[in-house]
Amino acid sequence: MMSDLEVTPAPRRSTVEHIAAELRAAVIAGTLPPGTQLGEADLAHRFEVSRGPLREAMQRLVSEGILVAIANRGVFVTELTTEDMADIYRARAAIERGAAEVLLDGHRRQAHSALGPPVREMKAAARAGDGPGVSDADQAFHEALVACSGSPRLIRAMSTLIVETRLCLGELRTTYPDLRTQVREHEDLRRAIRDAPREQVLDHVRAHLEDAVDRLTAKRAG
């Protein structure tokens, strides 16, 4: 699969950051699928760098959980287990319900407005049959929801899950035979945030994330 990877040569400054960013983006985009082994010689050639900065960049991604180093075997793109995915969504539920509790106290209209662009992007991507585009907008929707809380700590906590969430979303999109279903779920949640009673909104957030876990679990089991 690494033959499909396209990179740009590293700039003279921030070489390690550049390499890490390129590899991170490739994992998020699915160009480097879970389980892919990263060959040092090949990547050093592609980035036009020595192995030193390449190894440092990969180590950064190991510390982020994007890559995993296995003794005597090499470095691989992380493969999430079903339990990992459930745990990611459990953490997201705590963050997003917390964010919803904050924005429900006087910020419903602003949140409804902020969630409009991601929903429109999802609809456009779904009409085009663009599954990755729907996933990108899905992630943007939930980031916007948390951002609307204005809580620096909730926003920071959400940011730590972004890459792992993106890995889940890449797999989740294949559980929707009709991408419009995924869009409708987010439209319903957006309307609930504007108009529904408080507890109903919080239940909606929980149920939405639990549905994702159920879909991923069913897919793995199947």
Side-chain angles (χ1 to χ4, degrees), residues 1-2 5 23 26-34 36 38 43 77 167:
M1 295 298 298
M2 285 185 58
L5 176 63
L23 292 177
V27 172
I28 292 173
T31 308
L32 289 175
T36 300
L38 304 187
L43 286 173
V77 178
L167 293 176

Side-chain angles (χ1 to χ4, degrees), residues 14-93:
S14 304
T15 301
V16 172
E17 287 81 359
H18 172 82
I19 296 171
E22 290 266 320
L23 292 177
R24 187 185 297 109
V27 172
I28 292 173
T31 308
L32 289 175
T36 300
Q37 183 173 11
L38 304 187
E40 283 190 8
D42 179 54
L43 286 173
H45 175 73
R46 289 170 183 268
F47 283 111
E48 301 179 7
V49 297
S50 65
R51 295 195 184 190
L54 175 65
R55 287 171 178 167
E56 185 177 344
M58 290 197 295
Q59 185 55 48
R60 290 191 182 189
L61 299 187
V62 168
S63 68
E64 293 178 19
I66 298 170
L67 303 179
V68 58
I70 302 177
N72 302 318
R73 288 188 58 197
V75 179
F76 300 79
V77 178
T78 297
E79 294 184 89
L80 296 175
T81 66
T82 303
E83 290 74 21
D84 289 330
M85 291 184 173
D87 193 48
I88 290 165
Y89 277 91
R90 186 180 303 116
R92 281 187 55 190

Side-chain angles (χ1 to χ4, degrees), residues 176-194:
Y176 286 93
D178 185 345
L179 293 173
R180 290 174 298 181
T181 302
Q182 191 172 356
V183 176
R184 284 193 295 271
E185 289 179 1
H186 290 79
E187 288 177 319
D188 291 345
L189 178 53
R190 181 180 177 228
R191 280 193 295 269
I193 287 172
R194 183 187 61 189

Side-chain angles (χ1 to χ4, degrees), residues 100-102 104-105 108 196-203:
E101 288 179 344
V102 176
L104 288 173
D105 292 330
R108 285 177 178 254
R198 184 185 189 88
E199 288 306 314
Q200 186 175 328
V201 174
L202 298 178
D203 286 344

Side-chain angles (χ1 to χ4, degrees), residues 82-137:
T82 303
E83 290 74 21
D84 289 330
M85 291 184 173
D87 193 48
I88 290 165
Y89 277 91
R90 186 180 303 116
R92 281 187 55 190
I95 294 167
E96 294 187 42
R97 279 174 58 89
E101 288 179 344
V102 176
L103 65 85
L104 288 173
D105 292 330
H107 303 286
R108 285 177 178 254
R109 296 288 175 177
Q110 297 94 315
H112 181 265
S113 177
L115 295 174
V119 167
R120 288 190 287 274
E121 290 172 13
M122 289 184 77
K123 292 175 73 172
R127 283 195 298 268
D130 179 7
V134 172
S135 293
D136 290 342

